Amino acid sequence: MSAREEPMLSGVPRIPPAVIDRPRLRTRLDGPAPLIVIRGPGGSGKTTLAAQWATRPAPEAHETVVWVTPDGGSQSRAGFWMRVLSQLHVMGLVEHGAFEREMVALADDAGIAVEVLRRTLGARATAVTLVLDNVGSSQPDTFWNAVCGDMVDAVRSLVTVRFIAVGRFPTPLEAPVARASVEVEVIDGEALALTPDETRAIVDHHGAFLDDAGRRAVCALPSAIWPMALRYTLEMLRRSPERARDLGRPGATLPLLDVARQDVLGGVRDPEILDFLGATALSPVVDVDFATRLTGRADAQELLDTLEQSGAGHWSHSEDGTASFRYSEYVRAVAAAEFATRHPERLKRLHARIARWLHDERGEKLAALEHAVQAKDLEYASHVLLRIYPMSDEDRAHVGALLDEIPAHHIHRHPLLALRYALILNAREGTQPRAIEYLISSSTVGRLRASSVPEGERAIRTGIESAVWRLLGHDKRMATRADETVTAMEHALRAEDRDESLEWASLQALHHCGISLMYAGEHARARDAMSLLDEVSRRRQRAAFVNAAHCGLAMIAVLRGEFATATDHLDQIDVAAWPAPWATGYMSSLGYIAQAWVHVNAGRPADALAVLDVLAPHEATIEHWDLMLGARVLAEAMAGRVHEAQFVLESTRSARVSRRTMASTKARLAILEGLVNVAVGTPRANAKAVAGTAAAPLGHSLDAIVAVRNGASADAHAQLAEAESTAASPLDEAFVAVAGAIVATRGSSGLTLERYRARLRVLVSDHHLQWPLAAAPPSVRATIQSEHTTDEDGQWEAALAAVPTIVADVESGSVVIPRLTPREREILRAMTLIENRNDLAAHLFVSINTVKTQLRSLYTKLGVTTRDEAIEKALKHGLLDRPDHPEA
């Protein structure tokens, strides 16, 4: 039977010649144990036994068998389970949408493998047996330990799933811990060894060309207990019958299992055939056509069949009937090493051809990348790397290790490779400074070579580059690259001749560009990016990216104060379409933050805080921390905990702001600080801190409020006029209207309250924008509410009733006496006696950094900037002697 005959069960090796049925072992595979281990040395027949069982003539109708052989991209926990999921998809056990969703989930978090199996197989009425070939490693503490733990957990929670693990090395599946929690059947090397009767049956059936003496001599060989050794011996004798006379001599053993060099390789006399074996063994798998192209041998089919008969490897068939030959692990390693020693000059060319075949025809991208790097074909390595998606953290680390071995000056010549390496370095502890070097080279060389790079690849590079500049805090470069990318993507993603292999990378890059433009305050362009992402993702049925687009669009609407629009986008998110890690991770985070802001806007602080708590596990690392912080601070203030809101703001800013923080983020924090300062009674000017940013109108509005509270009416008018002239969004207009209402109610000439009240009502009606009303003190709210107005639908009254004020009434020009906590008063008292901060920290039993944070918060609350000013104000207003105020 040749490799071109009818296909078998997908992935199952073809049963080699010179084997027999072994009921004593096969029946053990039919037993009740949910975990079965077949472990034995190379050539012991373990894979053949599993294949015989999987293809038995009358498999149980209520059972589905899925065969999984790890490929070149499976050398990690996530990669292995992604391979399993791919095979389940090929077998029709997982529908396409769920397959894509769960692949992304596994790439993000390999630890959810059992959950993925539960979601994909848990509802099946029929049993599924996963035969996992080549499990385990000779090295301790590899990813296989985690995989074995996953298998144990899976069979404990899924009664319809069981595993048959085939391999050469002991694994934790055989350890007492595993066997104490589940039933494990172990078929080891001793059990796999042929019995005398089995040996005789094979020799009698396949050694008919031998006389009785010859057959007895073969059966007596020490190596005859191993199926592969026996098969090789019989094949050798069939080709060279004259060697049979040597079998009876003392010491004749024909050892095969110690192994491939002496018997498989040593048995090949023709150097051209030896070269064929070595060249094809460089690849993890070959088919006849590729073996012919790789070696120039027209007889590749015959040679591979001969190698199978001699035990060097086996044929298997894919679902579409394509036959592939895979060498045994040990034979491949020895043959490839021998070839590399004899023909080092041919390696680069062969690795380059293997890389292209693995990528273009097999879709094995990580394996293709390894061969491209070995071939020093970095242009093609860039091509492959751009198309690897999804990629797990383990695989990303593996890619990083590959790139670590490449000289820096070679990486600098390839923009995409340099960009990917910059991302890897930026994520590593201690290598972030080196990331900028590669990012700059990627940008510079990429622009020089732009005309020679396809539009789609060029757009992805600039899109990823935008994300990196964002992480590094370069606002202008971030926005420029993002805008360039969106322009290119608008054509590339709609083109008829687009490169489909770039789809995932394109969608990711477009999503990052939308976020970059949002942070840059380019809201219209950010909407263009997210809307294009929505359009393309719907057309390609990428539901998770449709969700991501609506999360982004909702957040853009929130930043503009368009809450009706934000709610519409949030309603379009299909929660069931998220891959599990995305559901509460980075890709969905903007949706959660936007939802929290919707609750804040509606005056529901408890609901806002509950939504933000979903993201709490990621709060210390998430990129959008400032957007989360704004919602959290306002929610705390609306709940009546204004001083706690101030502490959260100060402590978070102290921990997160660095030289890499974007100017737009710092501007948002300045506005938030200004609002909190007004709320706690220590208003300070804000416009200077946000000058030249999208937050400038909000800064001028807050400064108008500060000015009128300080009795500076002329300054209030000037700041208000500046705010009105620069307002660019409903949120800007709302703050102008609130500030105008406050200034107008203080009796300022030239301003009419009705004008600002009317504008607020329109904003509430058209955009459901309510939360800026929280900045209006009670007296102002009472005034704008008491005027005779028509409110047919009650929306205006409902808004005023829903949103609590966070600002107390203060007469124009009056002195504000801040409320201090007991701890703050203790610090003030200590400051009157101790000048040095280190001594102050020791006195208070805290670190110097804690003292700095506490002093910053205290100075903000008092509206001062130095120790002397703080003590002066405390003495002037009796803050050292007054009774402690309870927290707000």
Side-chain angles (χ1 to χ4, degrees):
M1 173 173 140
S2 77
R4 295 194 181 97
E5 292 183 35
E6 287 300 313
M8 304 163 64
L9 184 64
S10 176
V12 179
R14 189 179 73 173
I15 307 300
V19 298
I20 60 169
D21 185 28
R22 305 171 78 186
R24 68 181 179 87
L25 299 179
R26 183 168 47 76
T27 53
R28 292 173 67 177
L29 301 179
D30 287 322
L35 265 177
I36 299 175
V37 175
I38 306 177
R39 174 180 53 77
S44 59
K46 54 190 179 296
T47 299
T48 298
L49 172 63
Q52 286 177 303
W53 176 84
T55 57
R56 58 201 188 281
E60 297 293 333
H62 61 273
E63 182 179 42
T64 300
V65 177
V66 179
W67 188 283
V68 181
T69 301
D71 61 14
S74 305
Q75 302 310 303
S76 67
R77 184 185 186 185
F80 175 81
W81 287 114
M82 289 165 74
R83 175 70 171 172
V84 170
L85 189 63
S86 297
Q87 196 64 9
L88 291 172
H89 180 233
V90 166
M91 296 288 291
L93 301 182
V94 180
E95 59 92 12
H96 187 69
F99 167 68
E100 289 196 339
R101 192 163 58 246
E102 302 297 3
M103 285 287 278
V104 172
L106 283 169
D108 274 13
D109 182 6
I112 65 167
V114 177
E115 295 176 33
V116 170
L117 291 175
R118 187 181 299 116
R119 287 194 292 266
T120 52
L121 300 178
R124 289 186 58 82
T126 57
V128 176
T129 296
L130 291 158
V131 183
L132 311 177
D133 193 18
N134 203 21
V135 169
S137 168
S138 60
Q139 303 299 317
D141 301 325
T142 66
F143 72 91
W144 285 114
N145 293 348
V147 167
C148 291
D150 293 336
M151 283 190 257
V152 172
D153 291 341
V155 297
R156 291 177 61 187
S157 59
L158 293 166
V159 296
T160 58
V161 174
R162 70 177 191 140
F163 296 96
I164 297 177
V166 184
R168 289 195 296 148
F169 306 103
T171 68
L173 295 177
E174 300 177 54
V177 174
R179 304 182 80 161
S181 57
V182 295
E183 182 181 356
V184 182
E185 175 77 30
V186 178
I187 302 175
D188 59 14
E190 184 177 349
L192 288 168
L194 295 168
T195 66
D197 289 342
E198 290 169 340
T199 301
R200 279 193 299 272
I202 292 174
V203 172
D204 289 346
H205 190 272
H206 298 282
F209 56 87
L210 294 171
D211 57 21
D212 289 344
R215 289 198 290 272
R216 285 195 299 272
V218 170
C219 291
L221 291 173
S223 59
I225 63 171
W226 301 118
M228 181 177 171
L230 185 58
R231 190 163 73 245
Y232 170 72
T233 300
L234 291 171
E235 177 64 17
M236 181 201 67
L237 293 175
R238 185 183 64 78
R239 295 196 305 266
S240 306
E242 70 279 1
R243 296 191 64 181
R245 71 174 68 94
D246 297 327
L247 295 178
R249 293 182 179 178
T253 61
L254 294 178
L256 183 63
L257 297 178
D258 62 359
V259 26
R261 185 188 305 274
Q262 295 177 4
D263 293 314
V264 174
L265 299 181
V268 178
R269 303 302 180 196
D270 186 338
E272 292 187 1
I273 298 178
L274 193 62
D275 284 351
F276 173 88
L277 171 59
T280 52
L282 291 172
S283 178
V285 64
V286 294
D287 61 19
V288 172
D289 179 65
F290 181 59
T292 301
R293 286 187 279 134
L294 190 67
T295 63
R297 300 281 307 209
D299 58 348
Q301 172 76 62
E302 180 183 346
L303 290 174
L304 291 171
D305 282 342
T306 300
L307 288 167
E308 181 197 35
Q309 291 168 7
S310 64
H314 60 261
W315 288 102
S316 62
H317 295 76
S318 63
E319 189 73 7
D320 63 1
T322 304
S324 300
F325 187 83
R326 193 179 298 271
Y327 287 101
S328 69
E329 183 182 356
Y330 191 77
V331 169
R332 182 188 171 215
V334 172
E338 288 270 338
F339 183 86
T341 300
R342 288 181 289 107
H343 300 292
E345 76 287 352
R346 295 174 60 184
L347 290 179
K348 284 179 62 175
R349 180 177 62 85
L350 291 175
H351 279 301
R353 297 180 69 179
I354 291 169
R356 282 162 171 74
W357 181 73
L358 287 172
H359 179 271
D360 298 344
E361 299 185 38
R362 296 279 300 182
E364 297 184 14
K365 296 181 174 62
L366 275 173
L369 177 65
E370 290 184 1
H371 284 278
V373 171
Q374 290 181 67
K376 296 182 173 56
D377 186 353
L378 300 189
E379 196 63 34
Y380 194 70
S382 300
H383 174 87
V384 174
L385 191 55
L386 193 61
R387 291 159 173 81
I388 298 178
Y389 191 87
M391 188 188 296
S392 69
D393 288 341
E394 296 161 298
D395 291 334
R396 198 170 290 110
H398 178 59
V399 170
L402 287 175
L403 298 181
D404 287 340
E405 298 301 315
I406 302 173
H409 64 279
H410 289 316
I411 295 180
H412 285 310
R413 295 173 188 166
H414 302 275
L416 284 170
L417 214 58
L419 183 58
R420 281 288 188 180
Y421 198 38
L423 287 170
I424 290 170
L425 292 173
N426 190 61
R428 283 183 190 166
E429 188 70 32
T431 60
Q432 289 91 344
R434 291 179 56 206
I436 299 179
E437 166 194 344
Y438 288 93
L439 182 59
I440 291 173
S441 74
S442 171
S443 180
T444 304
V445 178
R447 290 183 176 279
L448 292 173
R449 299 180 54 187
S451 60
S452 64
V453 178
E455 182 182 39
E457 291 192 12
R458 188 167 63 249
I460 293 169
R461 180 186 62 77
T462 56
I464 299 173
E465 193 178 313
S466 165
V468 179
W469 285 125
R470 188 172 76 243
L471 294 174
L472 295 175
H474 293 261
D475 296 60
K476 291 184 179 179
R477 287 178 175 177
M478 167 195 76
T480 300
R481 299 295 183 269
D483 184 66
E484 291 172 357
T485 301
V486 176
T487 299
M489 288 284 187
E490 285 170 337
H491 175 264
L493 288 174
R494 291 169 173 149
E496 292 296 327
D497 60 345
R498 62 185 176 273
D499 186 346
E500 297 290 346
S501 68
L502 293 174
E503 182 175 302
W504 279 94
S506 298
L507 296 179
Q508 283 278 27
L510 188 56
H511 180 245
H512 275 300
C513 288
I515 294 174
S516 292
L517 291 163
M518 178 190 76
Y519 272 104
E522 301 288 344
H523 293 155
R525 201 68 176 127
R527 274 199 302 256
D528 290 343
M530 291 298 184
S531 297
L532 179 60
L533 178 63
D534 177 43
E535 172 198 329
V536 175
S537 299
R538 286 185 188 279
R539 193 164 61 242
R540 312 284 173 80
Q541 298 183 334
R542 303 293 188 189
F545 279 105
V546 171
N547 279 354
H550 284 291
C551 287
L553 287 165
M555 194 67 237
I556 294 166
V558 163
L559 291 175
R560 291 184 53 78
E562 298 165 346
F563 281 86
T565 301
T567 301
D568 287 343
H569 285 300
L570 291 172
D571 288 343
Q572 294 185 59
I573 294 171
D574 179 6
V575 176
W578 285 122
W582 286 18
T584 56
Y586 178 79
M587 294 298 285
S588 63
S589 59
L590 286 178
Y592 281 102
I593 298 168
Q595 184 64 66
W597 275 97
V598 167
H599 288 311
V600 167
N601 185 64
R604 298 190 295 265
D607 292 340
L609 294 172
V611 170
L612 293 174
D613 284 345
V614 175
L615 298 176
H618 313 289
E619 196 160 359
T621 57
I622 202 164
E623 178 186 9
H624 313 306
W625 62 271
D626 61 315
L627 303 177
M628 293 176 64
L629 179 63
R632 185 176 295 282
V633 166
L634 284 174
E636 293 287 359
M638 284 185 177
R641 298 185 291 270
V642 68
H643 287 291
E644 183 171 337
Q646 185 182 40
F647 175 76
V648 169
L649 171 59
E650 285 296 321
S651 58
T652 305
R653 185 173 62 178
S654 176
R656 298 299 297 265
V657 173
S658 69
R659 60 184 179 84
R660 287 188 174 190
T661 303
M662 289 183 290
S664 55
T665 295
K666 292 177 181 177
R668 267 192 297 274
L669 293 175
I671 294 300
L672 190 59
E673 180 185 26
L675 191 56
V676 170
N677 286 342
V678 171
V680 299
T682 57
R684 288 193 294 180
N686 303 274
K688 187 177 294 185
V690 297
T693 73
L698 302 180
H700 288 299
S701 295
L702 284 173
D703 278 7
I705 296 173
V706 172
V708 78
R709 287 171 69 107
N710 291 334
S713 179
D715 187 27
H717 279 254
Q719 293 292 345
L720 194 58
E722 188 67 27
E724 289 192 74
S725 68
T726 55
S729 70
L731 182 62
D732 293 343
E733 294 177 21
F735 263 86
V736 169
V738 168
I742 293 172
V743 175
T745 55
R746 299 302 184 193
S748 298
S749 60
L751 296 179
T752 59
L753 178 62
E754 179 55 35
R755 172 191 173 194
Y756 297 112
R757 179 175 54 240
R759 187 59 195 146
L760 283 169
R761 292 189 61 192
V762 169
L763 292 168
V764 169
S765 175
D766 291 353
H767 300 291
H768 298 178
L769 177 56
Q770 303 176 169
W771 77 262
L773 292 170
S779 61
V780 175
R781 289 163 65 104
T783 303
I784 60 177
Q785 186 174 15
S786 63
E787 295 292 324
H788 179 70
T789 55
T790 302
D791 188 21
E792 294 179 358
D793 59 5
Q795 195 172 2
W796 173 244
E797 295 289 338
L800 288 167
V803 179
T805 184
I806 62 173
V807 179
D809 275 313
V810 178
E811 291 301 318
S812 178
S814 65
V815 176
V816 178
I817 301 176
R819 304 197 311 168
L820 301 182
T821 65
R823 180 61 169 174
E824 288 167 335
R825 191 162 288 104
E826 180 185 358
I827 295 171
L828 262 177
R829 294 192 188 103
M831 288 169 60
T832 63
L833 302 173
I834 302 170
E835 184 173 353
N836 183 275
R837 287 188 176 181
N838 288 319
D839 294 339
L840 184 61
H843 176 79
L844 296 171
F845 300 104
V846 295
S847 70
I848 183 62
N849 288 332
T850 299
V851 159
K852 289 178 181 179
T853 300
Q854 291 173 335
L855 290 177
R856 190 181 303 117
S857 176
L858 180 60
Y859 289 178
T860 298
K861 187 175 287 191
L862 293 173
V864 300
T865 58
T866 67
R867 171 180 175 273
D868 291 340
E869 289 175 356
I871 294 173
E872 180 184 356
K873 191 163 188 177
L875 293 171
K876 181 178 180 180
H877 298 295
L879 297 179
L880 298 177
D881 304 318
R882 293 172 58 192
D884 292 336
H885 288 281
E887 275 285 0

